[in-house]
Amino acid sequence: MKPKQFTRAIPALLLLLTVACSKTVDTPVTPPPGTVQPSKISKIEFDDNLVEASYDANGNLSTVLHKLADGSLLQGYNFSYSGGKLSEVGFGGKWKYIYNGPLLTKVETHTAAGVLKYQVEFSYTHNRITEKTEYLVSSVGPRPYMRSVYAYHSNGNVSRMEIYQFVNGYWKKSEEIHYPLYDTSPNILKQFENYPYLPADLFPVNNPLKEVYYDDLGTKMGEVINEYTYDSKGRPVTRKATHQFPGFPDVVEVTKMYY
């Protein structure tokens, strides 16, 4: 199956995003290798919606607003912290964050009534996430749903992700994604493209330039080519993602970033 670039669905919340938008971005330049510094992103325009972010006095993410191009609100997220670490994100329901020392080990999704419906657990090797396991939760307890297994390049960027689904009592591999190439600019998008929201330091250091998809038997299904432009400070201001999968027309998604 042809993959989607952005994960937008979470239990108890499905965002239907249908309106495209566009604005002029800064003049692009090639980023100086190794000199680009992370920045606080204020707005992201996708093909079909936009995201606005604000920060507190300590520089922590405070709110994230999903909107249509006309400015109408789709969903708002409010961030709370404890001891310098993200503790909760409220959106009507709530995501709760659980740690073992400095490491995030679990994220729970609760409904507005406080009922636990979904959870994600993380396993680490040398302080890098090597497994992410997702569970659907009901009155009889958690039921395994999906698992992702990660391998890394030496610089901390993900080199490979294997995805498994829990079928008939065992984990069945569904696909594998390879990330052979990255740019040198800090990755600031991924934390806004995945739900539940996760802190930025859990994601690859840089921006992937190529994503290659394989099925469970190792047959190549297709690839996504990411092309970036940068402002005078070397920060990414656009990403053009071209999805190339045999049997489908190429699909191009354009993302614009503002600081």
Side-chain angles (χ1 to χ4, degrees):
M1 178 181 293
K2 186 179 180 182
K4 292 184 69 64
Q5 181 72 10
F6 309 125
T7 301
R8 300 243 185 254
I10 61 170
L13 177 64
L14 177 62
L15 303 180
L16 302 179
L17 308 173
T18 57
V19 179
C21 53
S22 63
K23 284 192 177 181
T24 303
V25 298
D26 295 341
T27 302
V29 298
T30 301
T35 64
V36 183
Q37 297 299 316
S39 297
K40 301 295 185 184
I41 200 159
S42 63
K43 184 168 68 172
I44 307 168
E45 292 180 350
F46 299 102
D47 278 339
D48 51 7
N49 70 111
L50 63 88
V51 170
E52 294 178 351
S54 63
Y55 302 83
D56 63 21
N58 296 318
N60 296 316
L61 194 60
S62 177
T63 64
V64 170
L65 303 178
H66 280 262
K67 296 182 177 180
L68 295 178
D70 63 6
S72 56
L73 182 66
L74 286 170
Q75 182 66 50
Y77 301 86
N78 297 298
F79 292 70
S80 300
Y81 298 84
S82 177
K85 294 183 291 190
L86 180 62
S87 58
E88 291 186 351
V89 177
F91 54 90
K94 187 176 293 184
W95 293 318
K96 294 185 177 182
Y97 296 78
I98 300 167
Y99 298 82
N100 180 9
L103 300 179
L104 177 66
T105 56
K106 183 188 294 187
V107 181
E108 299 178 340
T109 300
H110 296 256
T111 67
V115 179
L116 176 61
K117 301 295 291 185
Y118 177 81
Q119 67 186 38
V120 184
E121 297 181 355
F122 302 95
S123 298
Y124 294 81
T125 301
H126 304 304
N127 293 334
R128 288 180 178 172
I129 292 176
T130 47
E131 289 193 17
K132 178 181 74 174
T133 307
E134 304 170 52
Y135 299 85
L136 302 175
V137 183
S138 67
S139 58
V140 298
R143 175 169 60 88
Y145 169 59
M146 187 173 293
R147 183 174 69 182
S148 302
V149 180
Y150 301 89
Y152 292 85
H153 295 290
S154 59
N155 64 358
N157 287 315
V158 172
S159 61
R160 183 180 72 253
M161 178 172 66
E162 299 175 4
I163 301 174
Y164 298 81
Q165 295 181 329
F166 197 72
V167 180
N168 297 325
Y170 71 97
W171 290 107
K172 183 180 185 303
K173 188 175 182 178
S174 59
E175 65 178 327
E176 186 170 312
I177 308 171
H178 290 202
Y179 303 88
L181 297 172
Y182 287 81
D183 71 2
T184 60
S185 183
N187 185 335
I188 56 176
L189 270 177
K190 280 297 184 183
Q191 68 188 106
F192 296 101
E193 296 179 332
N194 294 268
Y195 294 94
Y197 172 90
L198 297 174
D201 57 4
L202 296 185
F203 293 101
V205 178
N206 304 117
N207 301 295
L209 298 175
K210 188 174 184 179
E211 307 165 24
V212 186
Y213 291 77
Y214 299 87
D215 65 15
D216 59 319
L217 299 177
T219 302
K220 182 179 177 180
M221 298 188 293
E223 60 188 25
V224 177
I225 305 299
N226 297 310
E227 301 172 81
Y228 297 85
T229 61
Y230 306 84
D231 66 13
S232 59
K233 296 181 179 180
R235 302 173 302 188
V237 291
T238 70
R239 179 186 62 190
K240 176 184 175 183
T242 303
H243 300 243
Q244 301 174 334
F245 289 80
F248 296 92
D250 286 0
V251 174
V252 177
E253 296 176 317
V254 177
T255 303
K256 300 179 181 181
M257 293 147 275
Y258 303 84
Y259 302 89

